[in-house]
Amino acid sequence: MTEASFAVQAFLDEPRLPASVATTTGRENPALAMMWFVAEEGRLWFHTPVAGDRPSPFLAAARANREVAVMVATFDPPDDVRQVRMTGPARLETKDLARVRRIYERYVPEWSPAWADHAASPAALLWSMSPDRGMAVAYPGLGNHPVSRWSNAAEGPFSA
């Protein structure tokens, strides 16, 4: 992997940056959603509601260990245009209330009993994705800059 022009983990740790997550439905139609996340232990972690009679395509992908695509980006031209794009397998995880809380605390202004109840609810599942392949790029001044790419997890920005 060529060195990214910005610190990828620090970027992913910035509060309130959502992730755009893509997968396919059971009928192979594209599905895209903005999600809250936390980047820890070389994975991106999500907490997704179970959607009644219409299964979430993201949870279905995690159950089947299918690939998902994730992009975390800023777009405040001309000076702050950064992107990290990743693909890799998703998987369901054991509920970890401390991790779920860390996800939500990145986005909500104050932890409350209502958020604690939501985090603990069986109506949402914890899942993660391993960013096995991806790229990181910044465009300060909207100029062309080197793109950092990796094609396996060992080469990626989370391998250190």
Side-chain angles (χ1 to χ4, degrees), residues 37-130:
F37 74 97
V38 67
E40 298 178 339
E41 298 177 18
R43 304 182 73 76
L44 298 181
W45 300 79
F46 305 92
H47 192 237
T48 298
V50 177
D53 64 337
R54 297 190 76 189
S56 160
F58 305 98
L59 294 177
R63 272 188 196 95
N65 294 98
R66 289 196 330 256
E67 297 263 323
V68 297
V70 176
M71 181 172 75
V72 179
T74 60
F75 189 74
D76 189 16
D79 297 319
D80 187 14
V81 180
R82 295 171 289 165
Q83 296 179 353
V84 177
R85 300 182 215 165
M86 302 161 274
T87 60
R91 70 181 187 207
L92 284 179
E93 301 285 356
T94 301
K95 189 79 150 210
D96 175 345
L97 291 179
R99 190 180 313 270
V100 172
R101 180 174 177 157
R102 288 192 299 277
I103 293 170
Y104 285 96
E105 284 180 333
R106 290 171 37 86
Y107 302 92
V108 299
E110 183 176 310
W111 191 250
S112 68
W115 280 112
D117 290 346
H118 177 74
S121 170
L125 299 177
L126 183 65
W127 63 280
S128 70
M129 72 84 72
S130 172

Side-chain angles (χ1 to χ4, degrees), residues 1-2 8 86 131-135 148-160:
M1 176 179 110
T2 57
V8 172
M86 302 161 274
D132 290 345
R133 292 166 306 288
M135 52 124 12
S148 170
R149 298 180 191 277
W150 69 94
S151 59
N152 65 62
E155 295 175 352
F158 308 108
S159 62

